[in-house]
Amino acid sequence: MAPGGSRPWGSLLLLLLLPAAGGGCAAEGGPLEPFDALYASGVEAYYGGDFAGAARCLERALRSRRELRAARLRCRRSCRGQVRLEAPGPGAGGDLSFFGSVLRRADCVRRCEEPRLGAASRHRAAEEVRADFQRRVPYSYLQRAYIQLNKLEEAANAAHTFFMANPEHMEIQQDIENYKTTAGKVSLVDREARQHMEDYSAGVRHYDREEYELAIEFLERALKGYYTEDEDCQIMCEGPQRFEEHEYLDYKAGLYEAIADHYMQVLACKHDCVRELATRSGRISPIENFLPLHYDYLQFAYYRVGDYVKALECAKSYLLFHPDDEDVLENAGYYEGLLEGAMDPDTIKPRKEAKTLLQRHKLESHLLQVAAAGLGYAYTEPNYWNRYGARQDEHSVPSSISSEPEDGPRLSLTKKPMPKPDRELKEGGPLLYNDVKFVYNSQQLNGTQRVLLDNVISEEQCRELHRVASGIMLAGDGYRGKTSPHTPNERFEGATVLKALKYGYEGRVPLKSARLFYDISEKARRIVESYFMLNSTLYFSYTHLVCRTALSGQQERRNDLSHPIHADNCLLDPEANECWKEPPAYTFRDYSALLYMNADFEGGEFIFTEMDAKTVTASIKPKCGRMISFSSGGENPHGVKAVTKGQRCAVALWFTLDPLYRELERIQADEVITMLDQEHLGPSEMNINPKDEL
């Protein structure tokens, strides 16, 4: 959670286990200060109201973590060059030369690291703390600390950095807009940006604008950065590993078994660098076909600037990864034809770095599969360069070349067709449950892929759910503790399904009531899946029980919204009447639903608008059991009018057709339900079995 709500598990652990520095940081000098201790000091200073001390300690924690990685990279890279691993020799004692070189390299790394880092044990942060840094939680604290210090540009950059890794909390955009208003023009620097990813995105933008020379410049820079990052990733995998199946102190393996266990962990880490380097901050799945796409964009960009040699070189590099790609094979053949007479096309080879990486990757895969077959090592090879998966990059692969008869051969870019959708946009399927009442369809709601239903849950269930909400919700929960994520005139509270089940299991709320939250969300999912006639599974992307409460004394002359107009899977641009399906939007969301719990408040109408975010196309008054559901794209901009009196509560649900983006907490909640059912601790009394189709 961000400041203002409950503390992150990592910071709680730090405050409990580490000696705090009284809101300050130890003097610099000597070995590098552990970043977890600095983080703990920063968090304690924040909650103690020492915002200058908090900012100082948190900045040092972030710097310490960067310097720790840099020092390890420098030493491991240096020792790789100084101590070569020797090949084992024949006969008894033949392996001594190899193990001798291993010992010398280990000694080299230790002697290199210790002067700067101190003992290795100083920098073994808890998993919860590492997770906080992975999710950029320190920047959430920094943002609030800098606001208190009136350093608005630093606060804006911290907010932006946090937001880029937490795109599910898009409401922080309003914070950033506020910074723009109060601080003038702000740069919005992502302080944790990965340069190869930034260069790739810039290259694609220039490509789309047909600025091919600039596209080449940025894409080539992105490739150079990618291979540098790949080497760093490989080196960092040589650090400590976790053994999930046993405690290290109880481990009684023999020499070769222990070496194999550790090496397989290292090798799996190295093999997964391809996925790591293709994954944007805050995502759980990579950009499809990321590395090959560089070469695919470049082959056509080079063609457009007249460099046919480079075009063929990049086409052949792409074909290393996908040798059967008909479009690029056709392109390569065309480039060869353009070069005939000027040079021998066979002398143009794929790029060496691409060939080397692919050969290494295939060997890694072979070794991992050998270990899986012979040593009982659990491993399944992912498809790292899938071209036609459910998740494509926002830009289709620019490969196809066609000839036109006018004025001889002429090349025109046509984009490789996106995979045909496994569904047509339909609606009107069965509602599955006898009590559910159809109210309006898309046409009656003046839009596309919309439906309004009543009686999805009963009055009694609404009351019970509201009682659960009062016992489990926290101010700002789900929005990093921000108590007013959408408007300062309302208090926002929320809770997830997993939290409800946890509280029920602990006896803090009735277990049956906590289970009700889980069951009605599943009921809503099944209705949405059926009504829109989807022929593939609809998964939960995020599930949230939310209440908005009008703050007394702040309702006169309100001209804001409870929730600004937005779309759920793209960035709404009202000026251009466009919705850009690109990060940091949740591009993976496909359908959304809101199930209302009450009507005893004023204001709070749900509204659809045109893309101009002004023209209202439909307005819906919430009431118990009413559910509005719609597709999540730019065809359905929506928002919530100001809640001017009372409290408005609902279950907010977002769904995806891509299993890669399943809600992690939902998966955990499913496991809890299975456990409860096995232990007979609170079976549901709510009938969610669908009736026969209508």
Side-chain angles (χ1 to χ4, degrees):
M1 296 304 145
S6 60
R7 302 178 185 181
W9 287 107
S11 61
L12 281 172
L13 185 70
L14 284 168
L15 294 175
L16 289 170
L17 299 181
L18 293 176
C25 303
E28 296 193 57
L32 186 67
E33 188 74 9
F35 69 88
D36 56 350
L38 292 167
Y39 180 36
S41 295
V43 171
E44 184 172 14
Y46 177 88
Y47 284 108
D50 178 10
F51 300 111
R56 181 172 62 253
C57 293
L58 290 166
E59 289 287 10
R60 284 183 57 188
L62 291 163
R63 186 168 69 249
S64 174
R65 184 168 176 263
R66 288 192 294 269
E67 291 180 5
L68 174 65
R69 184 177 189 271
R72 286 173 169 168
L73 277 171
R74 182 173 60 252
C75 288
R76 292 174 190 177
R77 185 180 287 111
S78 173
C79 291
R80 272 187 171 191
Q82 293 180 43
V83 183
R84 307 284 295 181
L85 296 182
E86 299 182 19
D95 55 0
L96 291 176
S97 58
F98 169 74
F99 285 114
S101 62
V102 170
L103 295 174
R104 289 193 298 275
R105 181 176 290 186
D107 180 59
C108 175
V109 171
R110 182 187 60 78
R111 285 187 290 105
C112 178
E113 289 185 353
E114 276 194 355
R116 177 62 180 131
L117 304 183
S121 59
R122 287 165 50 87
H123 302 284
R124 290 174 182 165
E127 181 66 27
E128 293 86 350
V129 178
R130 292 197 298 270
D132 270 9
F133 278 80
Q134 185 70 25
R135 293 185 295 114
R136 304 187 181 182
V137 172
Y139 287 100
S140 180
Y141 285 103
L142 269 179
Q143 178 201 9
R144 295 303 175 197
Y146 279 134
I147 288 174
Q148 296 295 327
L149 298 171
N150 201 32
K151 294 184 176 181
L152 298 185
E153 184 165 355
E154 290 89 340
N157 289 337
H160 180 66
T161 303
F162 175 76
F163 174 59
M164 294 306 293
N166 296 271
E168 72 276 14
H169 302 291
M170 292 184 67
E171 291 72 15
I172 204 169
Q173 281 185 319
Q174 186 60 52
D175 281 350
I176 296 171
E177 290 301 317
N178 292 340
Y179 293 134
K180 291 179 181 178
T181 302
T182 56
K185 186 177 181 180
V186 291
S187 53
L188 294 183
V189 174
D190 179 1
R191 294 176 49 183
E192 299 285 339
R194 306 173 79 174
Q195 194 57 49
H196 76 283
M197 192 73 76
E198 296 290 299
D199 288 336
Y200 170 79
S201 298
V204 171
R205 286 196 298 271
H206 287 300
Y207 183 98
D208 287 343
R209 297 170 188 158
E210 299 187 5
E211 299 166 349
Y212 295 111
E213 290 182 349
L214 285 172
I216 289 168
E217 177 184 345
F218 279 97
L219 288 167
E220 290 286 16
R221 188 188 304 169
L223 273 176
K224 184 177 180 181
Y226 180 96
Y227 286 108
T228 298
E229 286 291 324
D230 176 68
E231 182 181 356
D232 288 351
C233 182
Q234 296 276 313
I235 291 172
M236 290 304 296
C237 284
E238 295 174 358
Q241 298 294 325
R242 297 179 62 194
F243 295 87
E244 296 181 358
E245 295 182 2
H246 45 249
E247 292 292 333
Y248 177 74
L249 293 177
D250 297 331
Y251 192 40
K252 307 292 186 186
L255 172 65
Y256 294 107
E257 182 184 4
I259 292 173
D261 272 352
H262 194 95
Y263 183 65
M264 286 302 102
Q265 300 281 344
V266 171
L267 188 62
C269 175
K270 291 184 174 186
H271 195 57
D272 207 47
C273 285
V274 168
R275 180 183 299 278
E276 167 68 20
L277 296 183
T279 304
R280 293 187 176 100
S281 297
R283 305 302 193 273
I284 61 173
S285 64
I287 298 173
E288 294 282 353
N289 207 28
F290 181 62
L291 178 58
L293 269 174
H294 288 69
Y295 296 109
D296 200 10
Y297 279 115
L298 281 169
Q299 58 94 9
F300 198 86
Y302 274 120
Y303 159 72
R304 292 303 297 266
V305 300
D307 192 336
Y308 306 136
V309 172
K310 290 284 189 182
L312 181 55
E313 176 188 78
C314 290
K316 287 186 175 182
S317 299
Y318 180 89
L319 289 169
L320 290 173
F321 301 91
H322 303 300
D324 59 345
D325 188 303
E326 295 180 1
D327 291 330
V328 182
L329 283 168
E330 182 182 344
N331 291 5
Y334 193 88
Y335 301 149
E336 288 175 349
L338 292 173
L339 291 170
E340 281 183 1
M343 64 181 303
D344 182 2
D346 290 338
T347 63
I348 300 172
K349 304 296 183 182
R351 294 197 178 177
K352 183 179 179 181
E353 65 271 17
K355 187 174 182 179
T356 300
L357 183 143
L358 191 58
Q359 288 174 339
R360 185 198 75 209
H361 196 74
K362 289 180 178 178
L363 182 55
E364 290 168 352
S365 176
H366 172 71
L367 290 176
L368 288 165
Q369 289 169 11
V370 166
L375 301 176
Y377 182 78
Y379 180 75
T380 301
E381 175 76 3
N383 189 340
Y384 285 99
W385 293 301
N386 181 27
R387 285 178 293 160
Y388 305 116
R391 287 280 301 153
Q392 289 280 344
D393 189 55
E394 281 69 29
H395 303 275
S396 301
V397 183
S399 306
S400 178
I401 293 179
S402 60
S403 298
E404 298 181 10
E406 295 183 89
D407 303 321
R410 207 171 88 197
L411 299 183
S412 63
L413 172 67
T414 61
K415 292 190 174 184
K416 185 177 289 184
M418 292 287 284
K420 290 184 178 180
D422 57 2
R423 61 186 175 92
E424 297 178 19
L425 297 183
K426 299 178 181 178
E427 62 177 289
L431 299 178
L432 300 181
Y433 302 89
N434 285 316
D435 294 337
V436 176
K437 178 184 176 183
F438 169 81
V439 182
Y440 294 134
N441 60 18
S442 294
Q443 183 178 3
Q444 293 163 317
L445 290 168
N446 300 314
T448 303
Q449 293 281 280
R450 302 174 180 177
V451 65
L452 182 65
L453 306 170
D454 278 346
N455 299 340
V456 175
I457 58 177
S458 68
E459 291 280 353
E460 180 183 352
Q461 289 163 346
C462 285
R463 288 191 295 270
E464 186 65 24
L465 198 57
H466 201 278
R467 284 193 291 270
V468 172
S470 64
I472 65 174
M473 289 195 304
L474 292 172
D477 193 45
Y479 292 88
R480 300 303 183 194
K482 186 173 181 183
T483 56
S484 298
H486 311 288
T487 169
N489 300 308
E490 298 173 16
R491 184 176 74 254
F492 185 95
E493 300 167 291
T496 62
V497 166
L498 186 61
K499 176 182 284 186
L501 291 173
K502 179 177 180 289
Y503 277 32
Y505 190 76
E506 294 172 351
R508 299 163 73 173
V509 297
L511 185 54
K512 184 180 72 171
S513 303
R515 174 73 184 257
L516 176 65
F517 181 12
Y518 176 92
D519 286 338
I520 66 166
S521 59
E522 173 61 21
K523 180 179 183 180
R525 184 197 68 80
R526 298 184 70 168
I527 292 171
V528 173
E529 184 179 82
S530 178
Y531 178 80
F532 289 110
M533 304 172 72
L534 306 177
N535 59 6
S536 58
T537 302
L538 195 63
Y539 300 96
F540 289 97
S541 168
Y542 192 52
T543 315
H544 206 203
L545 180 59
V546 297
C547 290
R548 307 162 189 269
T549 306
L551 297 177
S552 60
Q554 295 182 213
Q555 302 306 313
E556 292 184 8
R557 296 186 295 277
R558 276 191 67 177
N559 57 8
D560 64 338
L561 295 176
S562 175
H563 196 152
I565 303 299
H566 64 285
D568 284 341
N569 72 9
C570 54
L571 302 176
L572 190 63
D573 184 351
E575 296 288 330
N577 274 311
E578 293 280 359
C579 203
W580 308 103
K581 197 167 183 180
E582 61 186 42
Y586 322 96
T587 56
F588 48 84
R589 288 181 175 171
D590 294 298
Y591 285 90
S592 308
L594 291 155
L595 175 56
Y596 299 109
M597 295 159 50
N598 66 316
D600 54 340
F601 55 88
E602 294 181 7
E605 292 89 349
F606 177 94
I607 54 174
F608 287 113
T609 72
E610 299 285 4
M611 276 196 181
D612 62 7
K614 297 177 182 178
T615 307
V616 176
T617 58
S619 179
I620 295 149
K621 178 66 177 176
K623 69 175 185 177
C624 167
R626 173 163 286 181
M627 185 172 82
I628 179 71
S629 182
F630 48 93
S631 56
S632 302
E635 68 278 6
N636 283 318
H638 59 279
V640 179
K641 289 186 177 181
V643 179
T644 56
K645 185 178 180 180
Q647 185 184 66
R648 175 191 191 270
C649 294
V651 176
L653 307 116
W654 293 273
F655 305 104
T656 179
L657 291 164
D658 187 346
L660 288 175
Y661 290 94
R662 293 175 65 188
E663 181 182 9
L664 297 180
E665 282 207 6
R666 188 76 192 194
I667 296 173
Q668 293 173 298
D670 292 341
E671 294 170 352
V672 172
I673 290 295
T674 300
M675 178 191 71
L676 293 176
D677 287 346
Q678 290 173 347
E679 296 179 4
H680 305 289
L681 295 176
S684 173
E685 295 182 7
M686 177 179 178
N687 177 19
I688 62 166
N689 294 320
K691 66 181 179 66
D692 295 334
E693 291 190 4
L694 299 175

